[in-house]
Amino acid sequence: MHDTPPAVPDFTQWPSFPFEGDLRVKQLDDPVPVEPPRKGEENRECIACSAPDEAYIWVGERWRVRAMDRPTGLPMVLILETRSHLDLGDLPNLLAAELGVMTVRLERAIRSLDDVARVHVNRWGDGSAHLHLWFLARPYGRLQLRGTFLSLWDSILPPIPEAKWRENLALVAAWLADFGGRPLAEPPRIEWQAPSSIASSIPDTDTEAAPENSVIEAAEETPTGEGMAAAEADADGDADRSALDEGPQGEDDGNAEALSAGDIPGSGAAAEHPVVEEATESPTPLAGSEAAGNASDGEAGRQPKVPSPRRTEDDVAAAKPA
């Protein structure tokens, strides 16, 4: 009968038990005469005493709260520790009283998070001689996780998103800081990427329709009427010659040479060089075949948008036939 394993206990049939299938109970090992020292006992280093404050999400004068190094399956898992290297039975009256206050305060902070129904508080103490209490949050509505096996489900469930985990840590730290101490957990940063250029963020109107509320489709940005005709002329490479041909026949071509910046759409020099000033510096209009010869040579079509002042004698000499 000694080699027969004990029967499987009834809790394996509980809805909260995380395993199913054929199970059997392990045989117990023989007891040891002397238990090995825990971390922080005898010559073993205490991890809690050597950890800096930056490893915790909240620190106070006599207490510190730390989290796991990565998200786990539960919304929140935290550990409350004393600064002094003491175990539960070693606490003086002051820290013993504060332990109750800190336990209630941290439980309320975790329970204030979204989607948290209950907070389980556990103390085992077999791994470290430094006092540490575990706080495990059970998700709201997850009735299968109730009770004894919540710590096992924490290792079975898929980890929660890291951004949500860091947000929860920051909220708990801020909640505790309202009563003192210093919060060290920061909320996650918003990750965004600006477009490399404005042009890259504008959709191609030739291949796809622009959004309904696009600024590009504003009335003042849409070419109509004569502006559309000028745009088509630019595509053919004859925009300047077409602009001159739009005037009535028989007018002096000298006015085309004296075209001011104010008559050119989009020119920024209109305020500095009014049309009147440019006209006074224009040469006397040429009549007859001389003016027609200049226009046929295409000189007027190649004039710059903002003509520079020229001497009258130079214009007359240039207008004479060779």
Side-chain angles (χ1 to χ4, degrees), residues 5-322:
V8 177
D10 293 339
F11 64 75
T12 59
Q13 305 301 320
W14 294 358
S16 60
F17 189 68
F19 308 105
E20 61 183 0
D22 296 334
L23 300 172
R24 62 187 182 90
V25 181
K26 289 182 177 180
Q27 289 287 350
L28 285 177
D29 296 334
D30 295 332
V32 297
V34 179
E35 290 197 359
R38 299 174 297 174
K39 295 178 182 179
E41 285 183 335
E42 298 181 2
N43 295 328
R44 298 196 64 184
E45 180 185 5
C46 179
I47 299 177
C49 291
S50 59
D53 282 353
E54 289 71 22
Y56 293 76
I57 70 166
W58 175 89
V59 295
E61 183 180 355
R62 292 178 290 274
W63 299 91
R64 299 194 292 184
V65 177
R66 65 184 174 95
M68 304 294 98
D69 58 350
R70 63 179 63 88
T72 57
L74 298 180
M76 183 58 57
V77 177
L78 295 176
I79 301 176
L80 174 65
E81 297 177 351
T82 55
R83 276 195 179 272
S84 303
H85 185 72
L86 300 169
D87 206 347
L88 181 61
D90 303 329
L91 294 179
N93 291 339
L94 174 62
L95 290 181
E98 285 187 350
L99 176 60
V101 175
M102 289 299 303
T103 300
V104 174
R105 186 175 296 171
L106 186 53
E107 192 272 347
R108 288 175 178 171
I110 299 175
R111 190 158 41 89
S112 68
L113 299 175
D114 295 336
D115 301 330
V116 172
R118 300 285 185 270
V119 180
H120 293 198
V121 182
N122 299 274
R123 186 262 175 179
W124 290 283
D126 279 331
S128 175
H130 196 123
L131 174 62
H132 57 286
L133 270 67
W134 291 79
F135 292 75
L136 298 89
R138 178 176 69 80
Y140 187 88
R142 296 288 187 178
L143 302 183
Q144 191 177 359
L145 308 184
R146 292 180 298 177
T148 309
F149 308 108
L150 185 63
S151 60
L152 299 180
W153 280 108
D154 182 44
S155 301
I156 298 173
L157 296 173
I160 66 173
E162 184 173 355
K164 182 63 176 177
W165 176 66
R166 292 189 179 277
E167 180 182 359
N168 289 343
L169 293 179
L171 291 174
V172 172
W175 205 97
L176 294 175
D178 286 343
F179 300 91
R182 182 162 53 101
L184 297 176
E186 297 182 356
R189 297 182 178 179
I190 300 176
E191 301 206 357
W192 64 280
Q193 184 176 4
S196 58
S197 64
I198 297 178
S200 62
S201 63
I202 299 177
D204 188 0
T205 56
D206 294 336
T207 57
E208 61 180 3
E212 294 182 1
N213 298 328
S214 175
V215 180
I216 303 175
E217 292 187 352
E220 60 272 14
E221 298 288 344
T222 305
T224 57
E226 296 179 358
M228 183 66 73
E232 295 176 355
D234 287 339
D236 297 333
D238 298 327
D240 294 331
R241 185 177 293 106
S242 299
L244 292 176
D245 293 340
E246 288 179 0
Q249 296 293 331
E251 287 192 4
D252 296 331
D253 292 336
N255 291 334
E257 293 182 357
L259 183 63
S260 65
D263 295 333
I264 300 175
S267 175
E272 297 179 4
H273 301 285
V275 178
V276 177
E277 294 179 1
E278 293 292 343
T280 56
E281 297 182 3
S282 301
T284 303
L286 299 179
S289 60
E290 294 180 351
N294 287 337
S296 62
D297 293 338
E299 295 294 341
R302 291 193 293 270
Q303 290 295 330
K305 291 185 178 181
V306 184
S308 58
R310 299 171 59 188
R311 293 184 303 172
T312 305
E313 56 269 24
D314 295 337
D315 294 332
V316 175
K320 291 181 179 181

